[in-house]
Amino acid sequence: MDEELKAYLTEMKHEMSDMKREMADMKREMNTEMKSGLADIKSDMAEMKSELIQHTETVETRLLGEFWKWARSADLRYRQGTSAVGFLDDRVQAVEDRVSELERRKAG
């Protein structure tokens, strides 16, 4: 019985050694797969970042173009309003001059 126990224990020792090797192989394989997956994720993130930057630049360019168009038309409206106000100011000044002249004649 002692020999049977020794043989059984020796066999178990070999099986455990084999299992240990298999686990080490599995660990190496998992590390390799994780590194590969991480590299893929980093690559995807870099690509998405590049696309986002490009999209943002496109949107900024469009917005600036539209603001420029709006500013240009607003400036034209402002200039037209300023010239109209200037014209009305001249007319009011002329009326004031006439009223002043009439008041001087009446007083004098």
Side-chain angles (χ1 to χ4, degrees):
M1 170 116 173
D2 200 22
E3 285 299 314
E4 281 181 33
L5 184 58
K6 275 185 175 181
Y8 177 75
L9 289 174
T10 303
E11 186 180 329
M12 290 300 286
K13 187 176 178 183
H14 288 298
E15 284 181 21
M16 286 181 68
S17 178
D18 290 343
M19 288 174 65
K20 226 177 182 183
R21 267 187 256 113
E22 287 176 14
M23 287 179 62
D25 290 344
M26 287 173 59
K27 184 178 177 181
R28 275 193 297 277
E29 190 175 313
M30 286 175 57
N31 282 338
T32 302
E33 288 177 13
M34 285 177 42
K35 286 178 184 177
S36 173
L38 185 59
D40 290 344
I41 290 171
K42 284 182 178 180
S43 173
D44 290 346
M45 287 179 65
E47 185 178 332
M48 286 190 295
K49 182 180 178 182
S50 175
E51 289 174 3
L52 182 60
I53 288 170
Q54 185 176 359
H55 177 71
T56 302
E57 288 174 354
T58 302
V59 169
E60 287 174 347
T61 301
R62 287 180 185 164
L63 279 172
L64 287 173
E66 293 303 316
F67 280 129
W68 185 82
K69 289 176 191 176
W70 175 83
R72 187 172 176 202
S73 64
D75 186 48
L76 289 173
R77 285 191 299 270
Y78 171 76
R79 289 178 189 213
Q80 287 173 349
T82 302
S83 68
V85 169
F87 175 74
L88 289 175
D89 194 34
D90 291 343
R91 301 248 347 219
V92 168
Q93 187 65 42
V95 170
E96 286 177 353
D97 290 343
R98 288 180 187 163
V99 169
S100 293
E101 181 66 32
L102 287 174
E103 287 176 348
R104 273 189 253 140
R105 284 186 194 171
K106 187 178 180 182

